[in-house]
Amino acid sequence: MQPDSHLPESARRLKQARADLWTRAEAGAVGGFAWEYTHLVDRYFERRVREAGPQRFAFTLVAVGGYGRGRLCPGSDVDVFLLFKRRIPSGAEPFIKTLLFPLWDLGLDLGHGVRTVADCVSLARKDFQVLASLMDARPLAGDAEVFETFKAAFAARVLNRSGETFAASLREHNEARATQYGDASALLEPEIKNGLGGLRDGQQVAWLTRVLKALGRNPIFLPEELARLREDQAFLNRVRTALHLAAKRKTDRLFFDLQPPTARLMGFTSRTASPEDTGLAVEFFLSRLHQAMTRIKAMREALFQEAFPVRTAPLPELSIRNLAAGPEGIRFRRQVEATPDNVLGAFLESARTGLPLTWGARRIVRRDPARFAAGLAGRSETLSILVEIFLAPHCRTALDGLLETRLLPALFPEFAEVEHLIQFNDYHVHPVGRHTLATVALLSDFLRGDGGWTGELAAGVADPARLVLAGFFHDLGKGAPDHSGAGAAMAREVLARYGRTPEVIEDVAFLVEHHLLLPKTATRRDLSDERTVADVAAVVGDTARLDMLHLLSTADSMATGPRAWNSWTRSLLGELYFKVRNLLRHGPLAEPDAARRLADAKLAVLAAAHDQDPEFVDAAMRAMPSRAFLALTPEAIAGHVRLVRKLWAAVAEDRMRKPSSIGGKGVNLIEAAPGRAENTYKLTIAAVDQPRLFATIAGALSLHGLNILAADIFSWKDGTAVDVFTVGEPPENLYAEEVWARVVRSVSYAMVGKLDLAARLEERGRSPLTRGRGRPRLGPLVTIDNQASDFYTVIEVAATDRTGFLFDMARTLAAHELSIHVAMITTIKGRAADVFHVRTQDGQRLLDEARQDALRRDLLAASTAR
């Protein structure tokens, strides 16, 4: 018997045609997939109805949802129902099963039902989701009169009576979508179907446009605008098709690991297979996708604002007499009054009131933004009004309008060049244009007093215009090798063109050129090193610029995404800011004071350790490195002394039990305390110093699911090692104390050869429970810097993040006989990165170029292993 012999002829034909369609699509022919797949399923139902033979009742088989719209993607559900005019006959259930059972055998996901016309009307009036599905109802087979009866009843008893309720339900649904799926038009892992700007937005425009017609109201959009919407919807549907094929399953979230194959199926190809070329192809693809989703989202928002407005507050009075405000938004009183000045004034009123421009007003601008820009460019008052928009309480509403109408890109070609630039990484969550305006909006919030401490700091900014202008220009140099320098040059040229004074120009250019100074220093340099603080202070020069730079860095990081701004990076940035501010206000610490400060620190430690043996405390202070007195508080040092005393007691006991070479070798103790940032812990780990100890501890922490943020290593002269790790919270469902105990055991077993950490970490990395979503695969970077510190070589290793990355880097450094003094986890150009401050075995920086080259090769190899 043939495998398909149980299937009817209609199903066998569908199976073969479907397989052929998949083969062609996987080869890159995704363009007509949705239409062709819909046609194949339509043909199946036509044939299957004929195979079932004549029925004793009048019916219509109806397609709804995506199938009704003729937009079947590879993973789409096939939704149908059997429709009857007045009552459901007894033979309806067997008949629908006859039609659907072969499709179940083929593995299709089906949605089905049996309803009368009255059922459809009743359900649609109660449930907006049923109403939405019926908006796309399409007859497949049966009696045309039954479907015509449904159409008439649906129009008269549902659309005419429930249209406003339907719109209100959709509005509420959109709020839930925003929370669950986010704004797809501004995210680098967008939800294609349900995210704002996705396919669902375009469907809502079509539905509500039909509702307006049923209610006898004027349409919002012109036919050519609806035609462009259909083009954008078709593009998104092709993306969804390619995404399902790339994932080999139904998924609507365009995750990073699915972006390269999806882009390739969409025809966005790279010249080579290198990560850089692949990333470039993906960036072009995402740029096109975001442009389509931005237009779709704008139309959906305008439709709700103007056709179904919700506004309880009284309408504001506008200060420009040629403008008028209504619940639908701000409009020009007459089209001839849409002069360049009035257009920019309209956006200023929008920023002040929170009312967007009406779709008709925006249409006037959108038709010829270059004409309005030509009348505004180069005028000092133009930039002044733009700054007012930036500083207004509802600047986000106005900025969205300036972007959607293309006036802002037309006014500033420098912005247009990078507006849709996307970086293929999981560090920046927005395209450059969106990121820039988000940064400006956050700065505006700070300057109005929002944001807690940042609002208080912003209150002291003498000229807020300089700060928001720096926010606007800070990333306009993206794409250049040194985007900060390129952005500063653009700021100088544009601000001079708009007649700003040299003082304003230099302040803005300075902020743009150095907007990464604070975050880069805070996340990569040793903040206990006076050289670090002094270097930043020397660049900044005064507290006024420091305050603005801190605000700009904070807004930029917040707008970048969670990998750039979290409780840990916030604490590092704050620590650096206050240290630099103190240095600028009180002057540099004189070198002759160094010995006095060290003596004062030791006295403070003695006071903090008053309950301990003074002789042991004194011996401990002589053994610990001098850097400890600069990097740690007296209370922390006293805690180290107490922990080390416990360590040596435990070591002595272990050696009594194991009178051999391994006696005391695996002994280690952990003390845990809350970290200085939210949701972090500070782990102080004491052990007998030995080769690869740091790598072993790092591996044990990773093995037990702990995210390592930073590490400070203190190697004592007596052979003690005290390492301080900052880690994230333990995995869910585990008590912290239990995790610390497991780490202690793992370190102990690994140091005496009872645990192969490398093998266990590789096993953990392969586990589907810990692997998570893929991140963009980017080429690794290794930087060896001997200029950043007087005492250490600073090594940065950046690559795609994975389990055990820090462990592998630390092992490689140990193999090259380099001792690690500080380790920090950061992000460099979208890659997870580890930054190490190291010395050679003789306490010097690594200056030998041959050793540097060998180290660089081994680190690159280790970063791409596993």
Side-chain angles (χ1 to χ4, degrees):
M1 180 181 291
Q2 295 300 317
D4 295 337
S5 60
H6 68 290
L7 293 174
E9 176 67 18
S10 57
R12 288 199 296 270
R13 288 192 181 190
L14 175 61
K15 182 178 180 180
Q16 182 59 53
R18 196 165 164 261
D20 293 342
L21 177 61
W22 252 252
T23 300
R24 296 197 305 275
E26 287 171 343
V30 299
F33 182 98
W35 177 87
E36 190 168 351
Y37 185 22
T38 301
H39 178 66
L40 292 179
V41 179
D42 286 355
R43 292 293 302 276
Y44 162 80
F45 280 119
E46 292 170 13
R47 292 184 176 118
R48 189 62 184 145
V49 167
R50 287 198 298 270
E51 288 172 345
Q55 303 299 313
R56 291 176 298 173
F57 42 77
F59 72 91
T60 300
L61 183 65
V62 181
V64 292
Y67 180 34
R69 289 187 295 274
R71 293 291 181 266
L72 282 181
C73 295
S76 294
D77 295 346
V78 176
D79 294 319
V80 297
F81 71 92
L82 205 58
L83 177 67
F84 298 92
K85 189 179 291 187
R86 293 185 180 84
R87 65 181 183 83
I88 298 174
S90 59
E93 285 292 336
F95 180 53
I96 191 72
K97 289 178 181 179
T98 298
L99 300 181
L100 297 182
F101 273 13
L103 297 182
W104 274 314
D105 289 342
L106 294 181
L108 272 67
D109 292 324
L110 303 175
H112 66 285
V114 179
R115 300 173 189 163
T116 65
V117 170
D119 291 336
C120 291
V121 170
S122 176
L123 287 171
R125 294 179 66 175
K126 293 176 183 177
D127 189 334
F128 83 95
Q129 291 182 324
V130 173
L131 197 163
S133 70
L134 292 175
M135 294 287 283
D136 300 310
R138 180 171 60 89
L140 298 173
D143 192 327
E145 184 184 350
V146 174
F147 190 74
E148 289 301 318
T149 302
F150 158 76
K151 281 177 60 179
F154 187 72
R157 296 163 58 191
V158 178
L159 293 184
N160 288 354
R161 299 183 186 181
S162 302
E164 294 281 354
T165 305
F166 179 48
S169 298
L170 288 178
R171 183 189 297 277
E172 185 177 337
H173 176 58
N174 290 341
E175 293 174 359
R177 287 171 55 214
T179 301
Q180 183 173 357
Y181 301 107
D183 183 353
S185 68
L187 294 174
L188 297 193
E189 283 187 316
E191 219 279 359
I192 301 298
K193 181 180 178 182
N194 290 301
L196 302 188
L199 286 164
R200 189 66 76 204
D201 272 13
Q203 291 157 15
Q204 289 186 12
V205 172
W207 296 335
L208 294 181
T209 298
R210 184 176 166 191
V211 167
L212 288 178
K213 183 177 180 180
L215 295 174
R217 289 159 56 181
N218 293 328
I220 303 297
F221 305 115
L222 298 176
E224 57 265 31
E225 292 168 340
L226 292 173
R228 180 57 188 265
L229 173 70
R230 289 191 290 271
E231 290 177 8
D232 286 334
Q233 285 285 94
F235 179 79
L236 260 64
N237 212 74
R238 291 197 297 275
V239 172
R240 189 170 184 241
T241 296
L243 176 58
H244 288 184
L245 292 169
K248 300 188 183 306
R249 58 185 174 83
K250 180 180 179 178
T251 178
D252 293 321
R253 177 72 71 177
L254 186 58
F255 289 108
F256 284 115
D257 56 339
L258 296 175
Q259 289 174 5
T262 302
R264 190 162 52 251
L265 286 170
M266 289 293 294
F268 294 83
T269 57
S270 53
R271 294 168 299 170
T272 69
S274 71
E276 287 73 19
D277 273 352
T278 298
L280 190 61
V282 171
E283 288 166 8
F284 281 121
F285 161 58
L286 290 177
S287 176
R288 170 70 176 86
L289 176 63
H290 279 90
Q291 290 178 57
M293 290 191 293
T294 297
R295 289 191 292 266
I296 292 170
K297 178 190 168 191
M299 290 185 72
R300 191 263 302 164
E301 289 179 336
L303 183 58
F304 275 94
Q305 177 71 25
E306 300 188 30
F308 306 97
V310 176
R311 191 167 188 87
T312 56
L315 292 172
E317 292 187 11
L318 305 183
S319 58
I320 300 178
R321 61 192 180 95
N322 294 324
L323 302 176
E328 74 282 2
I330 296 171
R331 66 183 187 278
F332 302 108
R333 291 187 183 275
R334 293 181 300 170
Q335 182 167 337
V336 294
E337 292 171 343
T339 63
D341 287 335
N342 281 351
V343 164
L344 198 57
F347 284 112
L348 177 57
E349 293 289 2
S350 175
R352 289 170 174 166
T353 64
L355 286 172
L357 272 67
T358 64
W359 186 260
R362 279 183 276 167
R363 180 187 295 133
I364 293 170
V365 182
R366 197 187 307 110
R367 279 177 173 169
D368 195 2
R371 176 174 70 86
F372 295 103
L376 295 167
R379 295 166 52 188
S380 177
E381 56 269 28
T382 295
L383 193 60
S384 298
I385 294 174
L386 188 64
V387 168
E388 286 190 68
I389 291 173
F390 289 165
L391 296 173
H394 302 285
C395 66
R396 289 174 175 82
T397 301
L399 292 176
D400 282 347
L402 284 166
L403 204 60
E404 191 270 325
T405 59
R406 315 307 302 148
L407 180 59
L408 188 64
L411 198 53
F412 295 98
E414 299 84 355
F415 180 88
E417 285 291 320
V418 298
E419 177 190 356
H420 298 292
L421 180 64
I422 290 174
Q423 294 169 276
F424 182 48
N425 58 56
D426 58 350
Y427 185 62
H428 300 84
V429 299
H430 301 301
V432 173
R434 290 279 185 174
H435 166 79
T436 296
L437 299 187
T439 302
V440 170
L442 285 166
L443 289 172
S444 183
D445 292 342
F446 297 161
L447 289 162
R448 287 194 309 277
D450 297 342
W453 177 76
T454 50
E456 297 174 14
L457 183 63
V461 172
D463 184 1
R466 303 183 191 193
L467 182 57
V468 292
L469 284 171
F472 180 69
F473 285 106
H474 83 282
D475 265 357
L476 298 196
K478 282 287 188 181
D482 174 18
H483 85 271
S484 299
M490 287 181 186
R492 287 189 176 93
E493 193 276 325
V494 173
L495 293 177
R497 191 165 75 222
Y498 280 88
R500 288 311 182 256
T501 65
E503 293 78 9
V504 170
I505 293 173
E506 285 311 307
D507 262 358
V508 173
F510 170 84
L511 294 172
V512 173
E513 185 172 0
H514 297 289
H515 73 274
L516 295 177
L517 174 65
L518 296 183
K520 285 178 68 173
T521 303
T523 56
R524 303 185 196 181
R525 298 279 296 274
D526 179 6
L527 299 186
S528 66
D529 186 346
E530 290 181 1
R531 161 80 183 276
T532 298
V533 179
D535 284 351
V536 174
V539 173
V540 175
D542 60 57
T543 57
R545 278 187 167 180
L546 175 66
D547 290 350
M548 289 195 292
L549 200 60
H550 180 70
L551 291 166
L552 176 57
S553 300
T554 299
D556 180 29
S557 299
M558 290 174 68
T560 296
R563 297 194 70 199
W565 188 252
N566 49 54
S567 62
W568 176 242
T569 53
R570 182 173 65 241
S571 70
L572 292 175
L573 198 62
E575 179 182 348
L576 176 61
Y577 166 79
F578 283 112
K579 286 185 173 181
V580 175
R581 185 176 180 82
N582 187 61
L583 184 60
L584 290 171
R585 294 182 67 180
H586 301 292
L589 297 170
E591 191 63 32
D593 288 340
R596 179 183 58 77
R597 286 188 293 109
L598 189 59
D600 289 345
K602 290 183 177 181
L603 289 174
V605 171
L606 286 170
H610 64 276
D611 57 338
Q612 300 188 54
D613 179 1
E615 290 187 9
F616 187 84
V617 174
D618 184 64
M621 288 195 295
R622 289 197 303 271
M624 68 179 59
S626 298
R627 195 177 69 85
F629 297 98
L630 301 174
L632 302 169
T633 65
E635 292 74 20
I637 293 174
H640 286 200
V641 172
R642 190 177 295 108
L643 185 62
V644 168
R645 185 158 195 174
K646 292 179 183 177
L647 169 72
W648 284 109
V651 167
E653 183 180 342
D654 192 66
R655 286 173 175 170
M656 289 285 291
R657 293 199 314 268
K658 306 172 188 172
S660 66
S661 60
I662 66 169
K665 191 173 183 180
V667 177
N668 67 99
L669 300 177
I670 288 183
E671 281 190 354
R676 66 186 180 190
E678 297 174 18
N679 305 319
T680 64
Y681 282 89
K682 182 178 72 173
L683 302 182
T684 304
I685 306 175
V688 178
D689 202 4
Q690 50 199 300
R692 292 180 171 78
L693 174 64
F694 174 79
T696 299
I697 296 172
L701 292 171
S702 295
L703 181 63
H704 294 290
L706 293 163
N707 181 29
I708 303 170
L709 300 170
D712 231 346
I713 297 96
F714 302 98
S715 300
W716 292 20
K717 296 173 185 175
D718 64 351
T720 305
V722 182
D723 295 351
V724 181
F725 284 81
T726 299
V727 299
E729 289 186 318
E732 294 181 6
N733 304 321
L734 287 176
Y735 292 108
E737 292 75 12
E738 180 184 349
V739 177
W740 314 146
R742 292 182 182 184
V743 171
V744 168
R745 288 195 296 271
S746 295
V747 171
S748 177
Y749 292 158
M751 293 309 296
V752 298
K754 292 183 179 180
L755 173 66
D756 186 344
L757 273 176
R760 288 294 305 279
L761 285 167
E762 185 172 355
E763 179 184 318
R764 178 181 174 84
R766 289 197 303 265
S767 169
L769 297 177
T770 58
R771 186 163 55 239
R773 293 301 318 174
R775 286 177 173 169
R777 295 196 61 82
L778 303 168
L781 298 171
V782 174
T783 303
I784 300 175
D785 183 2
N786 280 302
Q787 305 302 316
S789 172
D790 293 331
F791 306 105
Y792 304 104
T793 295
V794 179
I795 298 173
E796 299 178 354
V797 188
T800 303
D801 199 11
R802 57 173 169 77
T803 301
F805 183 70
L806 175 60
F807 170 72
D808 288 338
M809 298 306 101
R811 281 198 306 168
T812 304
L813 293 172
H816 283 258
E817 299 184 332
L818 295 170
S819 58
I820 303 169
H821 291 262
V822 178
M824 304 181 77
I825 313 305
T826 184
T827 304
I828 301 172
K829 296 184 179 179
R831 299 163 173 85
D834 293 346
V835 180
F836 303 94
H837 295 237
V838 305
R839 285 179 180 170
T840 61
Q841 292 298 309
D842 57 359
Q844 302 299 312
R845 288 179 294 171
L846 180 62
L847 300 174
D848 185 276
E849 292 187 4
R851 288 187 64 184
Q852 288 183 20
D853 291 341
L855 174 63
R856 186 178 289 105
R857 285 195 301 271
D858 289 351
L859 287 172
L860 285 170
S863 67
T864 55
R866 299 191 195 182

